[in-house]
Amino acid sequence: MTSHNDQPSPMTFTAAPALSGSVAVPGDKSISHRSLMLSALAVGESRVEGLLEGEDVLATAAAMRAMGADIQRDDDGIWHIHGVGVGGLLQPQEALDMGNSGTSTRLLMGLVASHGITATFVGDASLSKRPMARVTEPLSRVGASFTTSPGDRLPLTMTGACPAVPLDYTLPVASAQVKSAILLAGLNTPGITRVVEPIPTRDHSERMLKGFGADLEVEVQADGTRIITLKGEAELKPQNIVVPGDPSSAAFPMVAALLVPGSQVTIANVGLNATRAGLIDLLREMGGSIEIINAREVGGEPVGDLVVTASALNGVEPDLARAPSMIDEYPVAFVAAAFAHGRSIFRGLDELRVKESDRIATMATGLRAIGVTVEELEDGIIIEGSGGQPLPGGGPIATRLDHRIAMSFAVAGLVSRDGVTIDDMRPVATSFPTFTTLLQTLGAIA
């Protein structure tokens, strides 16, 4: 994991010629995590193709192995998972090392909550700063017990309840991770688990649970509130899954192609789930040319190829309701705004304060360091665009062990006068191990 290699790996990204070509981004991280977890709870063999083989997902695979699943990767890159069945998770013999992955940690806590086992979760320095109360609080209500480090942080030891108590829970904040943790706990809980979601978040868990045969229903009310009900003590059936390209990873070549003059880039096989596609909508509102071709459905998920052409962008003040559909893409959206004509105002982003880093503060500091005029707000940021002019550049940018911060400033370097230096590119391996290779393929790096 990132924390186990002690030497930072700085890198400078400099002005790029026009980008061109067709590339594919790694498999969707959210779907990759869930495909391993649900396959490990099905009886029989599931096959997963296109799995993201970054450190976060490999941490999930290692944890499911530690709890009894047989997980193998063949030479063709296809993963074979023989599951233990719902209720069949075994007591792990050692602490589960989650590295940098908040998603793995919170979702696996949901799984363990309704099994009669005890598990200890540990992580790297970045993950160990992230609060877990939003998950431990509802999971305590199903009967799980927790011993946490100060501030409800890792290292954390939990003991599941078997039988667990079915939960009827209204999400206080929009969080796909909290929703998913409660639904996963509900799989091995007798009775009906019910989650009320006032603001819709990514729905990969619901789609995949249905695909594996869980008895799950989603009711959408007139005001957009989603009520998700899951019948417990489920029997999951093995599946063959093809993981689409991760829209959060596609965000980086997409913004780079819009900003580097003369560029045209095709990004193949990108997941276009409406709960994840907010950045595409935002960039189009700003004037970005993004065409979706070859739209199709793969494994219950909408997929397409994106053709992105360099465009003059305008400042924007996006609707607050869009935040959940692009929460991980805001750092690179801030970079796009830095090159736009006019001012951009982003609000309603409290969630960014508790990601791998405080992404509002870290981005504001970094943008100032490369010549952008920004004002940090309690729940967002105001960015004065350069009107399409290259930014001065600079650095090294303090990325705070945050992969998305590192990649966002790498994109900024491609349209800078003097280049942008990233203090440490190691964290990029958690989600996008082929990031610099992909930029080379497009002609960005000599």
Side-chain angles (χ1 to χ4, degrees):
M1 305 297 167
T2 303
S3 59
H4 300 174
N5 175 1
D6 292 335
Q7 295 305 312
S9 178
M11 188 169 181
T12 300
F13 293 82
T14 55
L19 307 179
S20 65
S22 179
V23 291
V25 294
D28 185 285
K29 190 159 69 147
S30 298
I31 295 174
S32 293
H33 283 306
R34 289 160 174 81
S35 66
L36 287 171
M37 291 180 195
L38 294 184
S39 296
L41 291 179
V43 177
E45 181 186 332
S46 294
R47 296 169 75 255
V48 182
E49 191 177 334
L51 190 85
L52 168 62
E53 296 181 4
E55 291 175 354
D56 283 9
V57 175
L58 298 180
T60 294
M64 298 317 299
R65 282 193 191 104
M67 291 188 283
D70 179 7
I71 302 178
Q72 308 288 339
R73 179 192 187 277
D74 68 24
D75 292 341
D76 294 334
I78 295 173
W79 290 69
H80 302 263
I81 301 102
H82 291 267
V84 295
V86 171
L89 292 181
L90 303 179
Q91 172 79 40
Q93 298 306 303
E94 298 177 349
L96 303 176
D97 186 351
M98 297 290 97
N100 189 242
S101 183
T103 302
S104 304
T105 308
R106 292 180 174 128
L107 269 57
L108 287 170
M109 285 163 60
L111 280 184
V112 171
S114 57
H115 285 75
I117 61 176
T118 297
T120 297
F121 294 86
V122 298
D124 69 7
S126 167
L127 182 60
S128 299
K129 292 191 180 87
R130 299 177 69 178
M132 295 294 157
R134 61 171 58 177
V135 180
T136 59
E137 191 277 325
L139 294 180
S140 296
R141 297 194 203 180
V142 308
S145 59
F146 297 88
T147 305
T148 66
S149 298
D152 289 303
R153 293 177 165 86
L154 302 189
L156 172 158
T157 299
M158 69 177 291
T159 300
C162 193
V165 179
L167 190 58
D168 190 325
Y169 191 76
T170 299
L171 290 174
V173 294
S175 171
Q177 292 180 358
V178 177
K179 169 179 67 175
S180 299
I182 295 167
L183 292 174
L184 291 173
L187 282 174
N188 196 43
T189 302
I192 300 292
T193 294
R194 183 171 175 267
V195 180
V196 179
E197 188 175 48
I199 300 172
T201 64
R202 57 184 66 176
D203 64 353
H204 303 303
S205 293
E206 297 95 302
R207 287 172 183 258
M208 197 174 286
L209 281 163
K210 275 187 164 177
F212 273 86
D215 187 347
L216 179 143
E217 292 181 6
V218 180
E219 176 194 336
V220 182
Q221 298 186 315
D223 65 356
T225 298
R226 297 170 81 244
I227 300 171
I228 305 142
T229 54
L230 173 72
K231 189 173 181 183
E233 298 181 307
E235 287 187 27
L236 302 186
K237 300 172 180 61
Q239 300 296 307
N240 292 334
I241 297 170
V242 179
V243 180
D246 194 321
S248 297
S249 295
F252 301 102
M254 183 161 53
V255 171
L258 288 174
L259 298 183
V260 176
S263 298
Q264 184 171 74
V265 169
T266 300
I267 311 169
N269 193 43
V270 178
L272 297 174
N273 185 308
T275 63
R276 299 283 301 283
L279 180 67
I280 294 175
D281 297 335
L282 177 76
L283 293 171
R284 283 173 161 172
E285 276 176 32
M286 295 175 76
S289 171
I290 304 170
E291 184 187 357
I292 297 170
I293 60 172
N294 194 18
R296 54 207 186 272
E297 191 165 288
V298 178
E301 292 278 352
V303 173
D305 304 335
L306 304 179
V307 180
V308 188
T309 306
S311 308
L313 302 182
N314 298 306
V316 70
E317 186 169 356
D319 184 343
L320 272 62
R322 175 172 292 148
S325 69
M326 56 172 288
I327 198 69
D328 286 330
E329 287 76 71
Y330 276 105
V332 78
F334 296 167
V335 170
F339 289 92
H341 295 261
R343 169 184 290 184
S344 294
I345 303 173
F346 297 89
R347 292 185 179 275
L349 306 182
D350 313 69
E351 174 76 4
L352 293 188
R353 296 281 188 194
V354 292
K355 293 299 239 180
E356 281 85 336
S357 66
D358 177 340
R359 285 182 173 161
I360 296 174
T362 308
M363 285 300 300
T365 301
L367 287 169
R368 284 191 196 102
I370 62 171
V372 184
T373 301
V374 300
E375 180 186 345
E376 187 179 334
L377 308 172
E378 192 173 332
D379 69 338
I381 193 169
I382 299 173
I383 299 172
E384 302 290 346
S386 72
Q389 295 302 307
L391 293 173
I397 301 299
T399 56
R400 311 285 178 207
L401 295 176
D402 190 324
H403 55 133
R404 299 200 197 282
I405 302 288
M407 290 185 282
S408 297
F409 280 104
V411 170
L414 304 183
V415 273
S416 67
R417 203 172 56 230
D418 300 324
V420 171
T421 300
I422 314 300
D423 68 346
D424 192 357
M425 286 298 287
R426 289 175 303 158
V428 170
T430 64
S431 66
F432 201 159
T434 57
F435 174 71
T436 50
T437 308
L438 180 141
L439 291 183
Q440 283 174 327
T441 301
L442 295 176
I445 301 174

